[in-house]
C-alpha cells in the first residue's frame, strides 16, 4: 500500500515528511472505509491444483462491524458511523492526488529521477545472450560423451 501511494522515490526532506504525514491518515481512511477487499477463507490442494475460496468483498469497517461487533463498544461504533457519514470519498481522493503530485514535484526538483531498473534488464538488453550457432550440414548435432 505504501509503494502504491508514494512510489519508489526517496523522500528525506522535512517538507516531504510533512506531506507524507498528511498522506497516511487520508490513505488509511480511503482503504479502511471505502475500498472493498476480499479475504481468503480457505485454500485446498488437490495434487497440483490449488483451489481458493474468498469471502465477499467488503470494506474493513463493514467486516469489523459485521463479523466482530463484540469488539466495538457503543462509543467507538458511534464514532466510526459518524466518520463514515461525514467522509467524502471524492474529496479524500482529490486530497491524496494533490499530495502525491506535490511529493513527485519535490522529488523532481531535487534532481533527475531514475526509473527503477527491471530485474531482467540484462536479458532484455540481450547482453548476456550469445548468438545461436547452427550446425553445418556435415556436422553431427549430438554431442559425443566420454566414458567416466
Amino acid at each position: 500500500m505504501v509503494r502504491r501511494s508514494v512510489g519508489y522515490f526517496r523522500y528525506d526532506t522535512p517538507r516531504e515528511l510533512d506531506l507524507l504525514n498528511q498522506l497516511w491518515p487520508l490513505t488509511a481512511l480511503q482503504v479502511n472505509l471505502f475500498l472493498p477487499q476480499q479475504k481468503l477463507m480457505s485454500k485446498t490442494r488437490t495434487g497440483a491444483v490449488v483451489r481458493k475460496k474468498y469471502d465477499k468483498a467488503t470494506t474493513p469497517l463493514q467486516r469489523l462491524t459485521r463479523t466482530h461487533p463484540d469488539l466495538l463498544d457503543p462509543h467507538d461504533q458511534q464514532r466510526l458511523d459518524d466518520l463514515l457519514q461525514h467522509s467524502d470519498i471524492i474529496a479524500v481522493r482529490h486530497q491524496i492526488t494533490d499530495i502525491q503530485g506535490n511529493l513527485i514535484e519535490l522529488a523532481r526538483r531535487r534532481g533527475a529521477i531514475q526509473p527503477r531498473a527491471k530485474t531482467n534488464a540484462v536479458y532484455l538488453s540481450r547482453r548476456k545472450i550469445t548468438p545461436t550457432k547452427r550446425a553445418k550440414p556435415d556436422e553431427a548435432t549430438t554431442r559425443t560423451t566420454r566414458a567416466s
Side-chain angles (χ1 to χ4, degrees):
M1 185 177 88
V2 172
R3 292 295 176 202
R4 229 181 313 152
S5 297
V6 296
Y8 289 86
F9 306 120
R10 181 180 176 94
Y11 301 114
D12 52 1
T13 64
R15 175 68 182 134
E16 292 166 342
L17 178 63
D18 183 44
L19 287 172
L20 288 172
N21 287 334
Q22 292 173 21
L23 181 66
W24 300 137
L26 295 171
T27 304
L29 188 72
Q30 177 188 14
V31 169
N32 290 323
L33 297 183
F34 299 110
L35 293 182
Q37 301 167 7
Q38 285 185 321
K39 186 176 179 183
L40 182 65
M41 298 305 288
S42 67
K43 184 160 90 170
T44 57
R45 177 182 287 276
T46 308
V49 178
V50 177
R51 297 193 192 281
K52 298 177 182 178
K53 289 186 183 178
Y54 292 94
D55 191 13
K56 181 182 171 190
T58 59
T59 65
L61 176 63
Q62 290 171 341
R63 185 168 284 124
L64 175 68
T65 57
R66 185 184 68 200
T67 58
H68 305 290
D70 53 327
L71 296 177
L72 291 174
D73 60 4
H75 176 70
D76 288 338
Q77 179 69 42
Q78 182 62 38
R79 189 176 62 82
L80 289 173
D81 288 340
D82 290 342
L83 185 63
L84 184 61
Q85 290 294 325
H86 295 102
S87 297
D88 182 18
I89 182 63
I90 296 171
V92 168
R93 189 65 209 148
H94 284 304
Q95 289 174 340
I96 289 173
T97 305
D98 290 342
I99 292 172
Q100 288 171 337
N102 289 339
L103 281 170
I104 291 172
E105 183 60 32
L106 288 173
R108 282 195 178 128
R109 286 184 190 167
R110 254 200 334 261
I113 297 174
Q114 295 293 327
R116 201 174 100 178
K118 295 186 178 183
T119 56
N120 59 349
V122 173
Y123 293 101
L124 291 175
S125 67
R126 303 183 67 82
R127 280 183 275 162
K128 276 196 156 185
I129 299 174
T130 57
T132 58
K133 190 175 171 188
R134 299 202 46 99
K136 296 178 183 166
D138 59 338
E139 266 185 328
T141 55
T142 56
R143 294 179 182 230
T144 57
T145 57
R146 287 192 304 183
S148 31

